[in-house]
Amino acid sequence: MPIRALIEKSVELHHWLFNTGTRVVEVINTIFLIGFMSVFLHDFNGLSALPSYRAFAIASNEWWWLSMGILGLLQFIAMVKKTNASNQMSGFILLISAWIWIVVAGTFIISTPPLSTAPIMYTTVAILCALAGLYLLKFNKAKEGADKKSKVAQE
């Protein structure tokens, strides 16, 4: 593929990713959810033996980690589509994810000492997910209202 075509494709990717502020949060959330699932399913016993992860032993059921991965996959599907319904679905997934990341941050706090940066990072991700999810739901509601008004005006 010629370099010019690669540059044009990268511009399209950058525009898609940074066109709305919520898209970056959706991408990060997708990667974190699927990444958490992958790591914990791969070596749960090894991770939960580490001091920082010992409180994760309460979530030893594989279904917990599979559900995080499924939520990540649903987030990806909703993120790629460009409809009002997918925006609404993405907003709900981000709100659910915010609760998940608060639980994850709390699990790291319970496992102290040793103190780590994980609670700060996952609390930040939770706040970003909650804000982006609320924004998507409010934006979608306003867009639906505007669409209804324009439909009524056309009739």
Side-chain angles (χ1 to χ4, degrees), residues 12-36 68-69 71-82 86-87 90-91 93-94 97 101 122 125 128-130 132-133 136:
E12 290 174 21
L13 174 68
H14 286 118
H15 180 69
W16 174 82
L17 183 60
F18 297 110
N19 189 31
T20 63
T22 59
R23 189 74 42 79
V24 174
V25 177
E26 291 171 300
V27 169
I28 290 170
N29 189 47
T30 299
I31 292 168
F32 275 25
L33 288 169
I34 293 173
F36 245 74
M68 281 183 78
L71 196 63
L73 183 62
L74 290 173
Q75 178 75 69
F76 178 76
I77 292 168
M79 174 183 60
V80 172
K81 292 188 174 187
K82 297 179 181 179
S86 67
N87 278 345
S90 187
I93 291 170
L94 285 170
S97 297
W101 298 124
Y122 291 114
V125 171
L128 289 174
C129 283
L136 277 174

Side-chain angles (χ1 to χ4, degrees), residues 26-44 47 53 56 62 64-76 97 100-101 104 108 121-122 125:
E26 291 171 300
V27 169
I28 290 170
N29 189 47
T30 299
I31 292 168
F32 275 25
L33 288 169
I34 293 173
F36 245 74
M37 175 204 66
S38 302
V39 169
F40 275 92
L41 284 179
H42 174 69
D43 190 16
F44 178 79
L47 275 175
Y53 290 86
F56 280 94
E62 294 169 349
W64 168 253
W65 306 112
L66 283 172
S67 65
M68 281 183 78
I70 291 169
L71 196 63
L73 183 62
L74 290 173
Q75 178 75 69
F76 178 76
S97 297
I100 289 172
W101 298 124
V104 168
F108 277 106
M121 186 181 82
Y122 291 114
V125 171

